[in-house]
Amino acid sequence: MKYRKMPKTGDELSALGFGCMRLPMGENGKVDTDEAVRVIRRGIDGGINYVDTAWPYHDGDGELYLAKALKDGYREKVFLATKLPVWLAEKPEDMDDFLDRQLERLETGHIDYYLVHALNKARWRHAESLKVGEFLDRAKRAGKIKNAGFSFHDGPDLFDAILNAYDWDLCQIQYNFIDRNYQAGEKGLKAAAEKGLGVIVMEPLRGGALVRTVPEDVAKIWRENAPGRSPAQWGLRWLWDQPEVSVVLSGMSSMEQVEDNLEAAEQGYPGNLTETERTAVDKAARIYMDRMAVNCTGCRYCMPCPAGVKIPECFAQYNKVTMLDDLAGAKQFYGVLTKDGGKASQCVECGKCETACPQNIPIRKALKEVVQLLENEN
């Protein structure tokens, strides 16, 4: 296991972090508690010392499962991260109540890394109205949290705004060799690092989609350049190749995944790839991008949409289907992204977006395809 120093805290965190959003499931459709404990502890025994969960994981019981795994001295071996479900807070004191309940659920006296969860424009506006910065300062003074951060799911302009709105210790972004310009993207990674924040990377394998279904032409690239290296190891090592990345979270749900990732993490240092290997990853990324249904770069020139459609997000999920054959995952994430509005079906065909799009995408037509694919039963 390789370790990286968090810029502001000095903590030496494992390059591989354990994300507890996809714990092992039993035949009854619920988390297999014994297996989850075994898998998490194997990761910790293998050198992982950053463990991440959140209030809503596993139908609200994720923190309880993790607490079981961290008994018997394992809590003292890790830096524990969880997140504030700010969208559920109605008044400032609610945030204090959530934190106190999380401390109870996790059976701990403090949270090492506490993040404001899944920020987008609406949630950040709500967090600001609740004076979330004052809450975080208050929690730090009380010793309930050691470090404060945020996880992010929106565009680059909002990311920059949040980055400069508080003295954060860390941020968490979605980033992988395909999603280099999605949401915060590579620019966000570098901007956060320049400000001295630690950067935690989530969805390094797009929720496993870069591993579950690998196009033969991509598989051939992997075989020719490093026989025996798994697709997961390619994706993880590409991230660790970059010095700005502090921790790469993997949602491991089996012992096989843990062992594979631990093996990869032995090479989890900046500069671990050769130039030839970097070129191979770029070629693989181009193959995936050529399968893209809509050539949307996420530049957001089309935004804001007068009808409230989340145009780049709609296309990102549409592309997930064609690039990764992941219809189920795309539908699930689309539902989350548009829970509070922004669906493709809200389009009123005003055409304003098309006049602003530098890629000349027929956006209105493409949004109808999104509706057919992701909103209709099929």
Side-chain angles (χ1 to χ4, degrees):
M1 179 64 65
K2 296 295 185 289
Y3 297 85
R4 300 191 178 193
K5 183 177 291 187
M6 290 290 275
K8 289 191 176 182
T9 71
D11 292 337
E12 295 279 350
L13 302 188
S14 52
L16 175 66
F18 204 117
C20 296
M21 190 173 72
R22 298 182 177 92
L23 296 175
M25 306 296 288
E27 293 182 0
N28 61 358
K30 296 184 180 298
V31 170
D32 183 333
T33 304
D34 291 341
E35 184 65 8
V37 169
R38 196 170 74 93
V39 166
I40 293 170
R41 289 185 176 181
R42 172 64 188 108
I44 296 171
D45 290 340
I48 292 174
N49 70 1
Y50 186 88
V51 184
D52 167 274
T53 186
W55 177 274
Y57 289 177
H58 290 289
D59 298 323
D61 291 333
E63 291 169 330
L64 300 174
Y65 294 123
L66 180 55
K68 294 180 184 296
L70 295 183
K71 292 182 184 295
D72 305 322
Y74 277 86
R75 171 66 182 94
E76 289 69 36
K77 297 180 180 182
V78 301
F79 295 96
L80 175 60
T82 192
K83 308 178 190 75
L84 169 70
V86 68
W87 62 92
L88 296 177
E90 297 179 356
K91 52 189 183 299
E93 52 266 36
D94 288 347
M95 295 184 289
D96 298 273
D97 291 340
F98 274 114
L99 175 55
D100 288 341
R101 291 166 68 185
Q102 289 174 294
L103 291 169
E104 290 178 8
R105 285 152 60 112
L106 288 161
E107 300 181 38
T108 187
H110 72 276
I111 307 298
D112 297 292
Y113 290 89
Y114 195 61
L115 295 86
V116 186
H117 195 186
L119 288 180
N120 56 25
K121 185 178 292 184
R123 288 180 179 176
W124 176 240
R125 190 162 51 238
H126 182 56
E128 285 189 301
S129 74
L130 296 176
K131 295 182 168 48
V132 70
E134 293 181 10
F135 156 71
L136 294 171
D137 289 340
R138 187 164 64 247
K140 279 188 174 184
R141 288 194 300 269
K144 295 179 180 181
I145 68 173
K146 300 295 184 183
N147 306 286
F150 66 96
S151 67
F152 184 79
H153 289 290
D154 210 299
D157 290 342
L158 181 65
F159 183 78
D160 288 341
I162 296 174
L163 201 60
N164 293 295
Y166 179 77
D167 186 18
W168 306 102
D169 300 297
L170 74 159
C171 64
Q172 184 168 311
I173 63 172
Q174 177 172 332
Y175 186 53
N176 52 65
F177 69 82
I178 291 180
D179 292 323
R180 304 185 196 194
N181 299 305
Y182 180 58
Q183 296 185 3
E186 184 178 6
K187 289 182 179 178
L189 168 71
K190 293 184 180 299
E194 287 174 5
K195 286 186 68 68
L197 277 69
V199 182
I200 313 299
V201 169
M202 57 183 157
E203 302 293 350
L205 304 172
R206 274 193 167 224
L210 294 176
V211 177
R212 283 193 300 270
T213 306
V214 180
E216 176 53 32
D217 39 5
V218 172
K220 181 179 179 183
I221 291 173
W222 297 155
R223 288 195 302 268
E224 290 177 347
N225 286 274
R229 183 184 299 172
S230 70
Q233 291 182 2
W234 273 102
L236 295 174
R237 288 184 58 174
W238 180 82
L239 290 163
W240 287 322
D241 195 46
Q242 302 168 64
E244 298 88 355
V245 172
S246 301
V247 175
V248 177
L249 285 176
S250 178
M252 294 168 276
S253 55
S254 71
M255 195 63 74
E256 180 183 12
Q257 292 173 3
V258 173
E259 297 296 349
D260 190 43
N261 289 355
L262 287 175
E263 179 182 335
E266 294 177 7
Q267 304 299 319
Y269 56 86
N272 74 81
L273 296 180
T274 66
E275 282 301 325
T276 299
E277 290 172 328
R278 294 185 189 112
T279 299
V281 176
D282 291 342
K283 288 180 179 178
R286 281 197 293 273
I287 290 172
Y288 279 114
M289 299 306 285
D290 285 344
R291 294 163 61 104
M292 182 183 292
V294 183
N295 186 28
C296 174
T297 65
C299 70
R300 305 187 75 83
Y301 279 87
C302 59
M303 299 298 287
C305 166
V309 179
K310 296 179 178 177
I311 299 172
E313 289 80 4
C314 289
F315 291 157
Q317 298 315 306
Y318 185 13
N319 286 329
K320 181 182 288 187
V321 178
T322 60
M323 294 164 67
L324 304 170
D325 298 322
D326 189 13
L327 177 60
K331 279 194 168 186
Q332 180 183 23
F333 206 65
Y334 180 78
V336 172
L337 286 170
T338 60
K339 182 179 180 181
D340 300 319
K343 291 184 176 181
S345 55
Q346 293 174 215
C347 175
V348 296
E349 300 193 54
C350 68
K352 182 179 178 182
C353 53
E354 294 183 5
T355 62
C357 178
Q359 308 301 323
N360 296 313
I361 297 170
I363 294 176
R364 289 172 287 184
K365 177 177 180 292
L367 286 174
K368 291 178 181 178
E369 294 168 2
V370 173
V371 173
Q372 181 63 34
L373 189 64
L374 299 179
E375 295 186 30
N376 295 342
E377 292 296 329
N378 47 40

